[in-house]
Amino acid sequence: MGTDDYGRDVLARMFYGGRISLSIGFISAVSSTLIGALVGLVAGYYGGWIDNLLMRFTDAMLSIPTFPLLIALASVMGKGVTQIIMVIVVFGWMSDARLVRGMVLSLKEQEYVEAARAIGASAGRIMWRHLFPNTLAVMIVSTTIGIGSAIIYEASISFLGFGVQAPVASWGNMLQNAQQFIWTAPRLIVYPGLAIFLTVLGFNFFGDGLRDAIDPKLKL
């Protein structure tokens, strides 16, 4: 792949940048999904004013334009891997919360939940031993898609100069550094851009395949 304008090996930076971008994607997606699952589980199971409070807060968060605020928070909280993860997690849990809540509203009326209540199981046991495992298929798919979205967010923020900073490499800041050479050395943009494209596409395909494998309803 050659070298960049500073004489640094592009292939080595691609590998190292992949570690950073994938770490941000994994940690952000898993954290966002767990937070969203917790909110959706509590809201769906208890209902009433708890459900209204949590869902109105979720709706308020969804109404905020995400990307401009991601840039603003990234500039305020600092520029680094940890700060990027925190920013993505803050604005990445809402869709999971609504998804899990919808499933819990349906699942809590099933016979096995009624049987658990009849034998005196606590609300916490019902939620974590009976309802939560039955939302895992959807959560896993959401997490895999969320990894791709987080990688794109990181690349976008880093490309604009508010994310991972040099000399630490990520696919996003590799694109930022290469933009001035788009006509003279287009390979510097093609390689990290292709890595982002293939990685996000791969996680989306992986999520769909995993859903088909673990969701018994799709096998009937």
Side-chain angles (χ1 to χ4, degrees):
M1 293 184 181
T3 59
D4 62 9
D5 54 319
Y6 290 103
R8 299 172 297 193
D9 185 83
V10 174
L11 180 61
R13 286 177 61 79
M14 283 280 293
F15 284 139
Y16 188 85
R19 290 172 52 192
I20 300 298
S21 296
L22 288 171
S23 296
I24 292 174
F26 272 105
I27 297 172
S28 301
V30 172
S31 301
S32 299
T33 302
L34 290 177
I35 293 173
L38 177 61
V39 173
L41 196 61
V42 172
Y45 182 79
Y46 285 105
W49 68 269
I50 296 178
D51 182 27
N52 287 329
L53 178 64
L54 292 176
M55 287 300 102
R56 296 299 76 76
F57 177 69
T58 302
D59 291 339
M61 294 292 291
L62 283 171
S63 67
I64 299 173
T66 305
F67 192 70
L69 202 56
L70 280 173
I71 296 174
L73 283 179
S75 63
V76 170
M77 296 175 64
K79 302 173 182 179
V81 174
T82 304
Q83 288 83 352
I84 293 297
I85 291 173
M86 292 175 62
V87 167
I88 295 175
V89 169
V90 167
F91 292 97
W93 58 268
M94 293 84 72
S95 298
D96 296 306
R98 294 174 67 90
L99 193 62
V100 172
R101 172 185 175 269
M103 291 196 66
V104 171
L105 287 175
S106 173
L107 291 172
K108 73 176 184 179
E109 304 300 329
Q110 299 294 321
E111 290 81 1
Y112 65 88
V113 177
E114 294 293 336
R117 291 197 189 100
I119 63 174
S122 64
R125 182 177 179 83
I126 292 174
M127 284 191 290
W128 293 108
R129 293 295 299 274
H130 299 287
L131 296 177
F132 181 74
N134 285 286
T135 65
L136 285 178
V138 173
M139 288 172 56
I140 290 172
V141 175
S142 179
T143 301
T144 54
I145 295 174
I147 292 172
S149 300
I151 290 174
I152 292 176
Y153 276 132
E154 180 277 323
S156 303
I157 295 171
S158 296
F159 179 77
L160 295 174
F162 298 100
V164 180
Q165 299 296 298
V168 178
S170 75
W171 290 336
N173 65 18
M174 287 181 70
L175 288 173
Q176 181 200 28
N177 297 335
Q179 61 180 323
Q180 57 185 318
F181 305 107
I182 186 172
W183 300 117
T184 57
R187 60 184 175 80
L188 297 178
I189 288 181
V190 170
Y191 293 140
L194 193 61
I196 294 171
F197 170 74
L198 292 177
T199 302
V200 173
L201 185 66
F203 275 114
N204 287 341
F205 284 156
F206 178 68
D208 287 339
L210 207 56
R211 180 194 59 189
D212 296 343
I214 63 181
D215 191 343
K217 295 179 182 178
L218 296 177
K219 299 179 181 180
L220 298 178

